[in-house]
Amino acid sequence: MSNKKAKMQRIEQKKETPYLDPRLPLFVIIGAFVVWVYFVLSNYWANYSFAPFAIMEKVFSLNEFPNAVSSQVIDTWINHFVNLVFIAVFWFSAFGWGSLLLNKQEYKLELNLFRIGFGIAVTIAFIFVIGLSGFLYAQPVVVFLIIGLILGINKISKNRNEVPVNFLSKFTFNEKIILISLLYPFFLGLSGALSPETFYDSAVYHLGVPQAWINSHRMHVIPSIHMSFYPCNIEVLYTIGLLLRDEMAAKLIHFSFGLFNFVIVFVMLNKYFNRSVAWLGSVIFWTTPFALLVSSKTAIEMGIGFFEVLAFFAFLNWMNSGSAPSVAGSVNNAALKGPDTSHIESEFSSGGNKEKKWLIISAVFSGLGMGSKYISLYASTALVILLIFFRLYRDKAAYKEVFKEVMIFVGVASVVLSPLLIRNYIWVNNPVFPMLWQQLGDIKMRSLGYLQDPPRRPFTLKNILMLPWTYTMGKNILEPYCGPIYLLLLPFFFLFKRKNKQVDFFIAYSLIYYFIWQYLQAHIRLFLPALTVVSGVFAYWIWYLPSNLLRKTVIWIVVILTFGNVQLTSMLQKYSENPLGAFLGLVSKNEQLSKGKGIGSYVSPNYAAIDWVNNNLPEDSYILFIGETRGIYCKRKFLTHTVSEFVPIVELVKTCKNEDEVYNKLKEQGFTNILINVREVYRLKGYNLYYWNGDEWERFNLFWNKYMKEVFNADWVFVYQLQPYNKDDRTRQIPHNYLAEIYLSKNMKQ
């Protein structure tokens, strides 16, 4: 019966479909598209070969891994299970806390997604408060999550009649096939998430900084890591995973952000277009190679995308609420009517004017996005421009009213962002540090190369027009893994006229975002959050093609290319992480991190030495890192730096008169040990991090010979102990000074 009903709904939908209008004769468009497909794919596959079965055989081969040890495999999967339970509790807790803020609204999927978003905001605020207050311990976090879980279960129990007993019964046969096919990319993402973290940015600050907070039980100033002053909403959430579990729990948080983005895109497109557009858009987004690859790391793009797509969704709801004319309704055709927004008015509106609550909700999530990284200003700017343009030119609203709405949006978003700005102002007298570091603040740096890595592309007409081709084909550009689908379908925007003008919001938002991104720094990682909306634009143009044959052909091309995208992702994941052995339990965490098989970006994992530190040094130890920026796995208090800052040990030596004063100042600051990663010292030599003059080098060398004792080494990573000098100790061995050898020896070899 349900299949028959679904079939009737599809028939009715087909009758009312507002097909696109071709600008040229359809046979000309089809012929041109065939040529374009051949041209694009022949060039693309020359760079990224399409050999799915050969790739699958290579990716899933277990020949490189040792034979399974049953106890190790069991321990691994027990750990996976506990982490999956943790992530379920995490999200149910967020839902529970969010339900307090949207308690009276209808219990349905759309509003539940906003409840989860609000719950994440409450969670961030809670960790932020206890972190700054010095109460960053497991106990209060566990209590917070349990209370949220109880609230969530209570909300669900009160609305249990609304919860589908048989979830899959709501899907048609074709949709079930799509869900089954999505298990493959889901497995890739999950296997990456449930393996040790090797991503360099995570090791330095996405997880490295939260680990430093946890070691001190508080959020504190880390002058030598400028990224610790960045907006940190996502890192605050990762702190929960590290505090209660491990880095894989933190990775699951980011992976699940990606899954929620998929669901939000689906719900939004289904509401404002139809179910077919929703499937196309969400699948295109989820199978974008770089998006899928990043989702399994503790990056921040999927978290930013979560906030930005909720902000855009709420903005659409606001623009379609109240008495303002429907965007699609401006066309005198029943088939072209916009979505039914009567439920919005019943839930949020008490009058004929636009309901401001949706505008405020949009602003809240915009603020949360900017509180995750400054680049989310792209999305907030795009929404403000959309507000001004559509309110003035579509709704013919008064200038005063539009100005008031802009002020509400900007004001609310600023309030949500303000705690992070206030924190930085209190810490370093610069609310946007490290921005404007040369003009404001108490901390100065040697450089700030990270903000221009990669370098900014010239904002020229050629670059604007050619960037889609450049990124697709991977020509001399960093991380060019967007797949061919976006480029392949781009001509449709010029060959067909839209009819449902609801898509104008999606187009305008995408274009504004694109131009801001292109102008400031056209790096695909920074554009990933926008793909939640961009994918909807492409899905609309696919589904509403006026030729049934052309539509089906394009859909099949997209299906084949999404499969190719997933294959490319699997190869990139194998090269960068090679997580399969660790995920299955065939390779131990220690071995994965110590040997670093499959890690193609950075040399010399330091895990063996860090693991020794965690198991052998006292809990009150304080370790100074030299030549090592990654603190992710260190469970003892540590201090490191990046290549942008003045190096702590260098600056300390410069302020001392002799080697004894160097030792005394280090002890006064609480340091007990020094860790040196020799390979990293050598790799980073080009940055001239140890910029001593001759006298200062002599001072450091004397200190080294007098006060250092080697206590451990593995894979060119050395741990030393600071100890008092005893001139009568005849057995003491002076440890080798690799730092001086690398910097002072002209003929030093790696």
Side-chain angles (χ1 to χ4, degrees), residues 432-543:
V432 294
F433 186 82
M435 306 295 184
L436 304 178
W437 66 273
Q438 293 172 307
Q439 294 79 25
L440 299 173
D442 301 330
I443 297 178
K444 303 302 178 185
M445 291 180 289
R446 301 176 68 213
S447 66
L448 199 51
Y450 274 100
L451 294 182
Q452 292 298 324
D453 182 18
R456 179 178 173 271
R457 291 171 59 85
F459 188 67
T460 63
L461 181 61
K462 179 182 178 181
N463 278 341
I464 293 172
L465 297 178
M466 292 300 297
L467 192 61
W469 177 273
T470 303
Y471 257 120
T472 302
M473 300 305 165
K475 298 294 184 180
N476 301 318
I477 200 163
L478 184 66
E479 298 175 332
Y481 309 123
C482 59
I485 294 175
Y486 300 104
L487 177 64
L488 199 68
L489 301 179
L490 198 57
F492 285 158
F493 297 99
F494 307 99
L495 297 174
F496 294 95
K497 299 178 183 178
R498 77 213 182 287
K499 283 189 175 181
N500 184 343
K501 293 187 178 181
Q502 194 68 241
V503 78
D504 288 356
F505 289 112
F506 291 77
I507 297 172
Y509 177 88
S510 301
L511 287 176
I512 296 167
Y513 204 122
Y514 177 81
F515 282 112
I516 296 173
W517 168 72
Q518 167 72 260
Y519 178 75
L520 293 176
Q521 194 179 28
H523 179 20
I524 189 63
R525 185 185 297 275
L526 307 182
F527 195 70
L528 283 183
L531 292 182
T532 53
V533 176
V534 172
S535 60
V537 178
F538 283 88
Y540 170 82
W541 248 264
I542 295 171
W543 184 252

Side-chain angles (χ1 to χ4, degrees), residues 244-384:
L244 301 185
R245 291 292 302 146
D246 53 26
E247 80 284 358
M248 285 175 270
K251 293 178 81 174
L252 281 173
I253 291 175
H254 195 243
F255 176 66
S256 52
F257 267 129
L259 293 178
F260 273 110
N261 286 341
F262 177 94
V263 176
I264 296 168
V265 169
F266 182 91
V267 173
M268 178 174 64
L269 295 179
N270 184 46
K271 177 177 180 178
Y272 282 98
F273 300 106
N274 61 47
R275 196 173 177 92
S276 299
V277 173
W279 276 113
L280 282 168
S282 53
V283 169
I284 289 173
F285 163 75
W286 179 243
T287 57
T288 301
F290 201 62
L292 184 56
L293 182 69
V294 164
S295 68
S296 64
K297 304 173 183 288
T298 44
I300 57 174
E301 286 74 23
M302 293 298 104
I304 296 174
F306 175 81
F307 294 131
E308 288 185 3
V309 72
L310 283 177
F312 181 76
F313 197 174
F315 182 83
L316 284 180
N317 288 345
W318 175 68
M319 289 299 293
N320 285 281
S321 66
S323 59
S326 168
V327 177
S330 59
V331 180
N332 187 23
N333 188 325
L336 307 184
K337 288 182 180 179
D340 178 15
T341 59
S342 59
H343 66 283
I344 299 175
E345 296 175 37
S346 64
E347 292 162 5
F348 293 100
S349 179
S350 58
N353 296 325
K354 283 188 177 298
E355 178 49 58
K356 293 295 190 294
K357 286 186 178 180
W358 277 120
L359 179 63
I360 293 171
I361 290 173
S362 179
V364 167
F365 288 111
S366 292
L368 289 169
M370 290 186 289
S372 303
K373 196 166 186 176
Y374 290 128
I375 62 163
S376 196
L377 185 63
Y378 302 175
S380 299
T381 302
L383 290 178
V384 169

